[in-house]
Amino acid sequence: VSYGDEIIWSQKQTNILVEDPLFIEAALFHISLCGARLLPTTSFTPAQFVTSHNILGLTDELYDIFMSLMEDTCDSVETDLIRGSIACIYDSIEEIDNLPSFTFSLSEEGSLFRIPLSKLITSQVELPSVRDGGVELQYRITLGIVRSGSFSYHTSDKIIFGMLPMELFYVAINTDEHRIGLYQN
């Protein structure tokens, strides 16, 4: 199957002025969670696509906004660059399956791409508790999300796409034009 005609391409790489950039970058526009723009006063945020990392790194501002939106169910825990640093407790598998999605586009007027939070889960543990004479289950999940500055060689002002979020897309890299192409799986 060929997806060449359906790939959406980013604008030219934002760090192209660096003679030998270490990471391929693309500008992400309209970053939202549950349809609400997370950075309404910012036109775009640069993202680095890095196959040597596993999880999603958010800028400090995006991380703080995300945590404030999820504060009823999620807490920051010790940073783990393999599994993430956000732990959440839910009462049912349905709640986990219905977690919101991050959305973004690769241009000001571009198509939206989705990163369902349920696809960023790196661990899930059942937590039985006794209530009213019966056993009830809660579920503790870890989301593969950290602050971008937690990664060596990365600054906290860029989003880091590791392998876990990249697996949601077919990713194409055009090294001649310094652009990223995505097609949603």
Side-chain angles (χ1 to χ4, degrees):
V1 178
S2 173
Y3 298 101
D5 294 338
E6 299 178 51
I7 291 175
I8 307 293
W9 289 94
S10 70
Q11 297 178 353
K12 284 199 173 210
Q13 188 170 319
T14 58
N15 67 344
I16 197 59
L17 298 178
V18 178
E19 187 172 309
D20 185 22
L22 293 174
F23 309 105
I24 300 295
E25 289 188 359
L28 302 187
F29 295 81
H30 310 295
I31 300 167
S32 301
L33 183 67
C34 294
R37 289 229 7 224
L38 299 182
L39 302 171
T41 60
T42 304
S43 59
F44 71 90
T45 301
Q48 295 178 333
F49 290 74
V50 185
T51 58
S52 61
H53 297 315
N54 186 48
I55 55 181
L56 179 67
L58 297 178
T59 66
D60 285 343
E61 185 177 12
L62 281 171
Y63 188 93
D64 291 341
I65 292 169
F66 176 79
M67 290 306 296
S68 71
L69 293 172
M70 304 294 282
E71 69 183 344
D72 291 340
T73 56
C74 299
D75 288 309
S76 289
V77 294
E78 185 178 337
T79 298
D80 180 331
L81 296 180
I82 302 298
R83 295 191 321 182
S85 67
I86 298 176
C88 308
I89 304 285
Y90 293 99
D91 292 327
S92 70
I93 294 294
E94 291 77 26
E95 283 182 294
I96 295 169
D97 290 341
N98 292 316
L99 286 171
S101 295
F102 280 114
T103 57
F104 65 92
S105 64
L106 292 176
S107 65
E108 191 66 47
E109 302 296 324
S111 301
L112 286 180
F113 292 99
R114 294 172 27 95
I115 300 176
L117 292 180
S118 61
K119 299 295 185 184
L120 297 178
I121 295 172
T122 57
S123 72
Q124 180 173 314
V125 177
E126 291 181 355
L127 303 172
S129 61
V130 177
R131 290 188 194 159
D132 300 325
V135 176
E136 293 184 10
L137 284 179
Q138 285 189 312
Y139 301 88
R140 180 182 190 269
I141 63 168
T142 303
L143 293 174
I145 301 173
V146 296
R147 292 179 183 272
S148 296
S150 301
F151 293 110
S152 300
Y153 309 108
H154 298 283
T155 58
S156 61
D157 63 340
K158 296 180 181 178
I159 295 170
I160 307 300
F161 265 70
M163 291 304 294
L164 191 60
M166 273 197 275
E167 287 174 352
L168 301 171
F169 308 97
Y170 291 103
V171 179
I173 299 171
N174 182 326
T175 56
D176 291 335
E177 295 184 21
H178 308 287
R179 300 186 323 157
I180 297 283
L182 296 178
Y183 176 79
Q184 186 91 46
N185 271 339

